[in-house]
Amino acid sequence: MSKLPVVSGAQCVRALERAGFIVFRQRGSHITLVRAEPRAQTTVPNHKELDRGTLRAIIRQAGLSVDEFVALL
């Protein structure tokens, strides 16, 4: 398993868009992304740097592994 990288909220959103997610809405600094197949929804805070626990939760909600996410970056 790859080490979890330090990424910003914008980088995370771009990586999830490559995985088939689309931006559903934004309220303040939080961006909600959804994917139709397989059904998944996740919210990404648009911060300069995401905490490791937050990033790990986003990757888990997206149904990806850390290695898959790193490849999308």
Side-chain angles (χ1 to χ4, degrees), residues 1 3 5-8 10-11 15 17 19-20 30 35 40 43-46 48 51-52 59 61 63 67-68 71-72:
M1 177 159 75
K3 188 174 179 182
V6 176
V7 297
S8 69
Q11 291 171 320
E17 286 177 335
H30 287 73
R35 179 177 62 194
T43 301
V44 178
N46 192 16
K48 289 183 182 179
D51 289 334
R52 279 178 288 175
I59 293 169
Q61 289 170 2
D67 293 327
E68 292 170 333
L72 293 169

Side-chain angles (χ1 to χ4, degrees), residues 11 14-16 18-19 64 67-73:
Q11 291 171 320
R14 279 195 300 273
L16 291 174
R18 290 185 194 113
L64 301 171
D67 293 327
E68 292 170 333
F69 181 77
V70 170
L72 293 169
L73 288 175

